[in-house]
Amino acid sequence: MKKTLKQSLYKEILKHRPRTQKLLKEYGDVVIDKVTVSQVIGGMRGLKSLITDISYLDPEEGIRYRGYTLNEVIENLPKPKDSEMPYVEGLFYLLLTGRFPNEQEVGQVIDEFSKRRIVPRYVYEVIDSFPSNSHPMAIFSTAILSMNRESLFNRQYRAGLSKMDYWEPTYEDALNLLAKLPEIAAYIYNKLYRKGDRIHSNPNLDMGGNFAHMMNIGKPYDDVSRLHFIIHSDHESGNVSAHTGHLVASSLSDIYLSISAMINGLAGPLHGLANQEVLRWLQEVMNKMDNKMPSRDEMSQFVWDTLNSGQVIPGFGHAVLRKTDPRYMLQREFSLKHLPEDPIFKYADMLFKVVPDILMKHGKAKNPWPNVDAQSGVIQWHYGVTEYDFYTVLFGIGRAIGICANVIWDRALAYPLERPKSVTTSMLEEMVKLAVNPETV
Ligand code: CMX
């Protein structure tokens, strides 16, 4: 009998625990980084103070999941027949165990998700109660939050759960939630933009295939969805959504509370909302150009006008990356293959050619290259999802997969409540005085 994902995960947990315990017990006082004033005031940029084994973001190379580049992940995960992109469920297996699953192991995870996909009726009522001009991210977050009463972790915690077993009901909660997210997202889309016409899910399809089915969009939108969910799933622990998810879960809030919170962080324009901002900005340019293709000079002028009015160019720059985001490149390659003549793709591609030089001349952004958000909305638009307010919800489905994997491991390794220390400005001034001129003591 083949092991289930849960059994394989438990084996990995047992193997990993002694490493964390040894580090803590024998090397707890070893200094690995120092903190500067600009890091304290500047959003803790670059401060090495979090731990995750699920993914690592190299500034030059981009993200690796469990040590594998995105190209390796896409190449090595099992794929549905006649599809370019792998099963999202296989990615969840990889993130949890560090190992590529075989067909049979992915099949088990697909069955697990399929069994758990039915969304409680009250969640639909919560969604229906929102005014139709609400932002889909607010609805998505609330729908997730409303399911907190389903948490197995909460029930078992109240009944008296050993700390070493926290991961287990968390795993169950995570699967229960992840299986429902595409259903909830498609329902929100249909409520807001299709007068409530709902297409029920098909339990025989994988996550990407089923999402395309519920959105009523033909091939290759199933692959678009798989690619989208996979590349958005994790970006190590320090970005706003991942950090929020981890922080909230560290107080032993359940998965529903934690993922709802991380969705709220993702909804900011400097983070996940940038994918909708890119399309909004491109639409403005297209309107000004009367839908004609701008020349390079005209496009450069639009970029400068945006910068000179004090706004950022959405989809460009990154807090950690210092090269073009490989998530951007994968989507660009997909676009070059499937939608090379799409007018919005051509606009976005011209941005790729003009923006980095301009940002370098502008001289502020540390990274002038495009990030994941510069391209994702372009693909959605091409396949008919033109309501760009919805794009961050799609990001959220993907990101939830990575954060759930992280929270399960946080619990398995008994990471404690997160509690950094703050200082006042006067204290900081005092510390600076002492550091600059020690004789003032
Ligand atoms: N356009 C214009 N100015 C930019 C810029 C851009 N795309 N990217 C950075 N800058 C500016 C910053 O606003 C900052 O200006 P101030 O000194 O006036 O505050 C300066 O350059 C230095 O910023 P940085 O250190 O290079 O970047 P940060 O770590 O502060 O911020 C990010 C990173 C992503 C928020 C920023 O690059 C940005 O605002 N990009 C546009 C929005 C975007 O695409 N966000 C999505 C990121 C990916 C994701 O999380 O989804």
Side-chain angles (χ1 to χ4, degrees), residues 45 269-272 274 307 311-319 322 327 359 362 364-367 371-373 395:
R45 248 358 145 275
L270 294 187
H271 193 14
L307 288 172
Q311 298 167 64
V312 295
I313 306 298
F316 285 78
H318 201 271
R322 293 297 173 258
R327 303 173 298 175
L359 283 179
H362 187 240
K364 275 189 169 186
K366 294 192 188 69
N367 175 38
N371 60 56
V372 65
D373 297 317
F395 193 153

Side-chain angles (χ1 to χ4, degrees), residues 108-359:
Q108 279 182 356
V109 184
I110 294 173
D111 287 349
E112 282 289 330
F113 274 64
S114 184
K115 270 193 322 219
R116 300 164 190 249
R117 73 184 201 291
I118 304 292
V119 176
R121 195 188 175 84
Y122 64 82
V123 179
Y124 293 125
E125 285 163 11
V126 168
I127 296 172
D128 287 339
S129 71
F130 268 81
S132 56
N133 60 354
S134 306
H135 195 282
M137 282 297 268
I139 309 179
F140 195 44
S141 167
T142 312
I144 295 168
L145 188 63
S146 72
M147 287 189 289
N148 140 277
R149 66 190 284 281
E150 309 292 332
S151 171
L152 211 66
F153 175 82
N154 286 346
R155 242 171 286 155
Q156 293 193 12
Y157 185 80
R158 274 197 299 271
L161 184 65
S162 156
K163 197 168 179 173
M164 286 299 109
D165 296 332
Y166 284 176
W167 72 273
E168 203 189 335
T170 304
Y171 169 92
E172 298 294 338
D173 282 351
L175 260 80
N176 286 337
L177 173 62
L178 290 175
K180 294 175 180 59
L181 292 183
E183 313 265 333
I184 293 172
Y187 187 84
I188 293 172
Y189 185 80
N190 290 326
K191 167 197 157 67
L192 292 182
Y193 313 118
R194 282 183 179 159
K195 301 197 178 88
D197 278 351
R198 183 173 170 209
I199 297 163
H200 287 274
S201 67
N202 178 346
N204 300 317
L205 294 172
D206 67 298
M207 187 189 268
N210 192 32
F211 186 67
H213 161 76
M214 289 185 292
M215 294 288 285
N216 200 19
I217 307 176
K219 271 187 172 301
Y221 193 71
D222 53 345
D223 270 338
V224 168
S225 305
R226 292 183 191 106
L227 174 67
H228 193 97
F229 299 153
I230 288 174
I231 64 175
H232 286 85
S233 67
D234 211 29
H235 224 219
E236 69 167 44
S237 287
N239 64 76
V240 171
S241 52
H243 189 195
T244 307
H246 163 80
L247 171 69
V248 173
S250 84
S251 73
L252 297 186
S253 289
D254 61 63
I255 274 289
Y256 301 95
L257 295 164
S258 308
I259 297 297
S260 170
M262 84 81 181
I263 290 289
N264 299 339
L266 191 67
L270 294 187
H271 193 14
L273 205 78
N275 57 13
Q276 92 166 48
E277 293 298 287
V278 171
L279 257 289
R280 193 171 58 79
W281 191 83
L282 279 175
Q283 286 297 313
E284 261 175 44
V285 178
M286 284 180 96
N287 288 342
K288 279 187 196 151
M289 287 301 301
D290 233 355
N291 284 332
K292 284 198 308 287
M293 195 66 198
S295 67
R296 232 182 142 102
D297 285 349
E298 283 168 329
M299 188 60 113
S300 298
Q301 194 53 53
F302 285 123
V303 174
W304 275 115
D305 289 348
T306 302
L307 288 172
N308 291 336
S309 65
Q311 298 167 64
V312 295
I313 306 298
F316 285 78
H318 201 271
V320 178
L321 278 169
R322 293 297 173 258
K323 279 270 168 70
T324 297
D325 191 338
R327 303 173 298 175
Y328 171 87
M329 288 312 282
L330 270 167
Q331 295 184 99
R332 183 166 184 272
E333 280 157 25
F334 187 92
S335 304
L336 281 170
K337 180 164 176 198
H338 292 281
L339 44 130
E341 295 309 321
D342 184 288
I344 301 230
F345 172 63
K346 286 187 170 170
Y347 266 68
D349 215 41
M350 186 177 283
L351 281 183
F352 179 47
K353 286 168 188 143
V354 305
V355 172
D357 272 353
I358 296 177
L359 283 179

Side-chain angles (χ1 to χ4, degrees), residues 16 19 51-55 65-67 95 406 409 413 415:
H16 194 112
R19 293 172 61 195
I51 183 162
T52 176
D53 296 290
I54 310 283
S55 67
Y65 295 158
R66 289 288 185 178
L95 295 183
N406 272 284
W409 269 98
L413 299 177
Y415 291 157

Side-chain angles (χ1 to χ4, degrees), residues 37-45:
V37 171
S38 58
Q39 284 175 312
V40 173
I41 298 176
M44 297 186 280
R45 248 358 145 275

